[in-house]
């Protein structure tokens, strides 16, 4: 096995040792920020008393609201003059969140990102097209610096403009790319419409992320584009992309434990879940200088995959994100994640790319309707055939969700799509009387 | 005087020496590309015979069409595996043009850009907001890498979204920024409309470029925003931004002659113009590895400013771009550049931000109409007052252009504007019978 950095194969003892040393340093550094200085004092934690990774549970949790409330400078643990970058969320609701970086922070981030790309099989000789949006959004520059660190010929294509994306892919013989999952399916559809086989496009590797998607969506991307698609995990509070990534075995994402301490907590009790159970991912930065974060609640639900990975890397794997703690829909008292619905739908061969989840209320009863696009060849006049597909989908969803949804079959390409992320849940319940 | 790099104060002899050495190397390297290999053979130039900057006139010229025709790989003088970046034009008309970079190319580009920013007074402690568009366009990443090289806290804001731009400027106390000239005037207008004085915004330095603009436009930007605005020159074929920049004396832009050989040629005869006269800027790269360009015709019209600069830098200065060889309007047999019109208009105190140049044909006679926005306080009911402004503007333009235009005065903010570059010439002559 080729690795990008020897840190990827440290023994578990060595990882614990690195984590302990870096956690102690991180807490001392965090305590220089106005926010953590106050928070640590408030919770009675002496920064000097944190010496081991086992002390992590004594540290206070940090939430997105904490970030918002300490905007713009409250989380800053660094003298202004060492900062070289900031990224900020668009902040359409309330204050934006901002993350600052020193030169070392950017270097570490690029190294982690390069590690991820290398793990997915990308090498110096690849031509890499980055379709993540550049600018304040962390995807574009984050992935860009990783690709450059790896030494790929990098095309900073940015998001959107499908005709240009395809022209670049073809003209420069692009062998690897970063793309949002729903856009990958859209792109494949555009090529098919041009009368060409999307599998003939040169890319052999796609990095997919920035949007929740199911295993079925990944398999479809792989089949339609004739490549291997690798899941990635990142969030702007932890730099952006480069936090966790799949290796060639595509069985969970190795999370870089020399740079982050990851915990999985029950989002209600805030206690660790049992080994292998799903809970909220909580993360602590270990290498960030400008703005360390302690036990940050990501709101993302996942689990640690038990056991060792066949690739030989020792960093634990997290499972694909099962949803956001905030995305959970409660329907008739049952917890449902949109990802469960996608997973069922995309396993049905007659189902096309798009679907929509609509929640409304009838009297006092929540009603779940799922609108499903059916591939052209199956969307025929024969009402009986359609009725049978409808029943099959309803049955599969009931088994998965334990709630019986209404199924509406619609023609392919009749549901709203966007060039960027798909928005697939329409909750009408708050808007009703 | 503080300088970023000692190369800025080499003696003229030393510059000639550096240029000769690097030109010889560049021609040998260029000859590895399919395009130059053929072109040099065709024109009977033995690469080894080019040993001095004085040999430059023996080299063939390169045009934008050459770039287009050799798309995508014809200009490549480097093994694929050393490339780390490409930028491509949008190519809305015909083939795009593409520029490739090695790691060294990117480093040199960032150094040149950092030199420019330092020369304009930007230091490590500045907070720098980059409003140039990121991605394939060279402005965003080019300026970004320069700011990072300088060590500024850099905000990768990108283009557009005025409300967010202003929020970032205020919240992070931005002291320096890069902005398109017409957008700077628009931004100042937005702040004034909010009932605030744009001069109270924190920035003290604005880098302006990417759009032709007059000295009057610069003075307006400086007055309205209460800062110093520095002209920049660059073009994607020569990397992008970072080719030439103003120093604190704001009297022409020092062009980095250790990285480029600049010539000013008569665009008709292709012979050098007399010292200090206006002609087409023709440039040769001296440090580019992946894709050297020999005697590239920029189509930009400028002149060398005679004499030495008071700042002590020895690199020659080019004057602000007087127009594009392609932008020249021929009206009633007279050559006119839109920039001449802007310069006259913006020196008139009653004139607001916007104007429009409309060309149409009456019979066989070209007619030039200039629509001019008048500031609110002057746009009064008094027809005599308006008539006098109209006459004054017509007289000033006739003196400058030697053609008598029709002048239409319109209310402030009644002409089309865009968030990005202004498009100010409407040529109806081709669309008429
Ligand atoms: Zn693995
Ligand atoms: Zn000077």
């Amino acid at each position: 096995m080729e690795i990008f950095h020897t840190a990827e194969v440290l023994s578990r003892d060595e990882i614990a040792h690195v984590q302990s040393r870096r956690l102690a340093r991180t807490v001392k550094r965090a305590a220089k920020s106005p926010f953590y200085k106050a928070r640590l004092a408030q919770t009675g934690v002496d920064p000097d008393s944190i010496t081991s990774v086992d002390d992590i549970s004594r540290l206070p949790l940090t939430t997105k609201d904490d970030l918002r409330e300490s905007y713009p400078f409250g989380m800053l643990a660094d003298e202004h003059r060492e900062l070289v970058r900031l990224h900020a969320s668009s902040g359409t609701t309330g204050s934006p969140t901002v993350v600052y970086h020193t030169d070392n922070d950017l270097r570490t981030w690029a190294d982690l990102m390069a590690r991820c790309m290398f793990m997915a099989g990308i090498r110096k000789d690849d031509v890499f097209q980055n379709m993540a949006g550049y600018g304040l959004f962390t995807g574009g520059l984050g992935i860009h610096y990783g690709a450059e660190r790896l030494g790929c010929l990098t095309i900073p294509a940015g998001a959107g403009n499908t005709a240009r994306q395809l022209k670049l892919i073809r003209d420069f013989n692009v062998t690897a790319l970063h793309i949002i999952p729903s856009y990958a399916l859209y792109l494949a559809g555009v090529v098919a419409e041009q009368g060409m086989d999307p599998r003939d496009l040169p890319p052999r590797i796609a990095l997919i992320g920035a949007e929740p998607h199911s295993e079925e969506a990944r398999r479809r991307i792989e089949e339609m584009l004739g490549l291997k698609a690798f899941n990635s995990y990142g969030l702007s509070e932890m730099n952006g992309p480069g936090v966790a990534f799949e290796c060639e075995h595509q069985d969970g994402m190795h999370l870089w434990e020399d740079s982050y301490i990851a915990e999985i907590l029950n989002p209600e009790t805030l206690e660790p879940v049992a080994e292998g159970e799903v809970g909220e991912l909580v993360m602590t930065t270990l290498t960030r200088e400008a703005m360390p974060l302690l036990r940050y609640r990501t709101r993302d639900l996942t689990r640690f995959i038990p056991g060792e990975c066949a690739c030989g890397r020792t960093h634990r794997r997290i499972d694909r994100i099962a949803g956001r703690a905030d995305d959970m829909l409660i329907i008739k008292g049952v917890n449902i994640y949109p990802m469960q619905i996608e997973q069922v739908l995309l396993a049905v061969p007659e189902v096309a790319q798009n679907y929509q989840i609509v929640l409304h209320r009838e009297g006092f009863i929540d009603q779940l309707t799922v609108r499903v696009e059916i591939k052209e060849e199956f969307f025929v006049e024969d009402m009986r055939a359609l009725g049978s597909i409808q029943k099959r989908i309803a049955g599969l969803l009931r088994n998965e969700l334990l709630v019986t949804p209404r199924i509406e079959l619609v023609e392919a390409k009749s549901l709203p799509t966007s060039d960027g992320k798909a928005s697939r849940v329409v909750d009408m319940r708050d808007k009703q009387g």
Side-chain angles (χ1 to χ4, degrees), chain A:
Chain A
M1 179 196 55
E2 284 184 294
I3 53 170
F4 186 75
H5 196 283
T6 51
E8 296 169 45
V9 291
L10 291 175
S11 72
R12 292 303 308 172
D13 274 354
E14 288 167 326
I15 288 176
H17 182 72
V18 167
Q19 287 189 327
S20 294
R21 188 160 41 85
R22 292 183 173 177
L23 178 63
R25 199 174 58 194
T26 293
V27 174
K28 283 189 195 74
R29 184 141 195 150
K32 291 183 189 168
S33 74
F35 172 80
Y36 280 116
K37 190 178 177 187
R39 177 66 59 94
L40 290 170
Q42 216 173 46
T43 46
V45 177
D46 173 6
D48 290 332
S49 74
I50 304 295
T51 57
S52 152
V53 61
D54 299 326
D55 297 325
I56 188 100
S57 59
R58 291 176 40 222
L59 290 170
L61 292 156
T62 308
T63 65
K64 185 147 197 132
D65 281 341
D66 290 330
L67 283 186
R68 287 204 178 111
E69 283 157 23
S70 63
Y71 177 89
F73 300 115
M75 292 280 182
L76 202 47
D78 197 287
E79 297 305 306
H80 175 87
R81 67 178 186 285
E82 290 181 40
L83 304 176
V84 294
R85 175 96 63 83
L86 71 78
H87 283 279
S89 68
S90 58
T92 40
T93 54
S95 278
T97 55
V98 57
V99 174
Y100 296 92
H101 300 276
T102 65
D103 205 37
N104 280 336
D105 289 338
L106 292 186
R107 203 169 306 124
T108 311
W109 182 9
D111 280 346
L112 292 178
M113 191 64 224
R115 245 194 232 182
C116 293
M117 295 173 72
F118 190 94
M119 183 161 62
I122 300 176
R123 297 290 179 273
K124 195 177 181 312
D125 289 341
D126 277 297
V127 179
F128 179 76
Q129 186 158 324
N130 184 9
M131 301 192 195
Y134 279 71
L136 282 175
F137 170 62
T138 55
L141 287 171
I143 293 163
H144 183 94
Y145 277 60
E148 216 159 81
R149 174 78 180 78
L150 205 53
C152 295
L153 170 51
T154 305
I155 306 180
N161 198 336
T162 304
R164 190 174 71 177
Q165 300 282 8
L166 285 171
K167 186 170 171 56
L168 293 167
I169 287 173
R170 288 171 173 139
D171 290 353
F172 299 112
N173 195 30
V174 168
T175 52
L177 41 83
H178 183 279
I179 191 165
I180 293 172
S182 59
Y183 190 59
L185 293 170
Y186 173 77
L187 198 80
V190 169
V191 173
E193 263 172 44
Q194 292 169 347
M196 281 171 281
D197 188 340
R199 287 173 300 182
D200 293 339
L201 291 173
R204 60 185 184 84
I205 292 174
L207 312 179
I208 54 175
E211 184 186 64
H213 62 282
S214 63
E215 180 60 20
E216 289 304 320
R218 184 247 290 274
R219 292 303 165 204
R220 280 210 179 186
I221 291 168
E222 293 192 325
E223 277 161 33
M224 291 181 76
L225 287 166
L227 44 68
K228 249 187 133 178
F230 293 88
N231 288 326
S232 64
Y233 177 72
L235 67 167
S236 62
E237 297 86 341
M238 296 292 131
N239 293 342
V243 173
F245 233 84
E246 282 186 332
C247 67
E248 78 253 39
H249 296 287
Q250 297 184 314
D251 182 21
M253 299 176 279
H254 290 284
L255 188 148
W256 300 123
E257 294 184 276
D258 55 334
S259 261
Y260 301 100
I261 295 174
E263 303 168 82
I264 310 264
L265 304 185
N266 177 315
E268 306 294 322
T269 65
L270 300 175
E271 292 297 319
V273 298
E275 185 69 26
E277 276 185 16
V278 171
E280 180 178 345
L281 179 65
V282 170
M283 295 190 70
T284 300
T285 66
L286 291 176
T287 47
R288 215 151 67 187
E289 295 180 345
M291 189 175 145
L293 286 178
L294 307 179
R295 303 190 86 202
Y296 180 72
R297 294 188 61 179
T298 66
R299 310 302 286 151
D300 287 321
L301 301 174
T302 185
R303 65 185 187 108
F304 283 124
I305 293 179
E308 288 168 17
C309 185
C311 79
R313 288 182 184 83
T314 50
H315 298 242
R316 280 185 296 176
R317 291 162 296 155
I318 55 170
D319 206 348
R320 70 170 50 247
I321 303 304
R324 306 248 324 146
D326 316 309
D327 284 351
M328 191 177 72
L329 306 168
I330 306 183
I331 300 166
K332 298 177 184 173
V334 178
N335 298 354
I336 291 176
Y337 293 99
M339 198 50 55
Q340 294 175 277
I341 297 179
E342 171 165 323
Q343 194 138 2
V344 167
L345 292 180
L346 294 190
V348 175
E350 292 90 348
V351 170
Q353 257 62 270
N354 245 320
Y355 62 92
Q356 202 175 42
I357 298 165
V358 183
L359 302 168
H360 48 102
R361 195 164 280 152
E362 294 185 359
F364 293 99
I365 315 264
D366 291 339
Q367 185 63 49
L368 167 66
T369 301
V370 182
R371 295 195 183 119
V372 186
E373 284 187 358
I374 295 297
K375 287 178 187 161
E376 217 174 328
E377 60 266 40
F378 298 105
F379 204 84
V380 285
E381 297 295 304
D382 182 352
M383 278 300 150
R384 262 187 316 186
L386 281 179
S388 127
I389 296 173
Q390 201 170 19
K391 262 186 216 148
R392 180 148 41 93
I393 293 174
L396 289 166
L397 282 174
R398 190 180 47 239
N399 290 346
E400 169 72 27
L401 309 176
L402 309 176
V403 164
T404 306
R406 281 188 204 158
I407 305 298
E408 291 178 16
L409 302 187
V410 299
E411 274 183 278
K413 282 179 264 166
S414 63
L415 290 174
T417 58
S418 70
D419 233 34
K421 295 187 183 188
S423 162
R424 284 168 160 159
V425 179
V426 182
D427 195 339
M428 315 276 288
R429 292 176 298 180
D430 293 340
K431 286 162 198 146
Q432 294 178 314

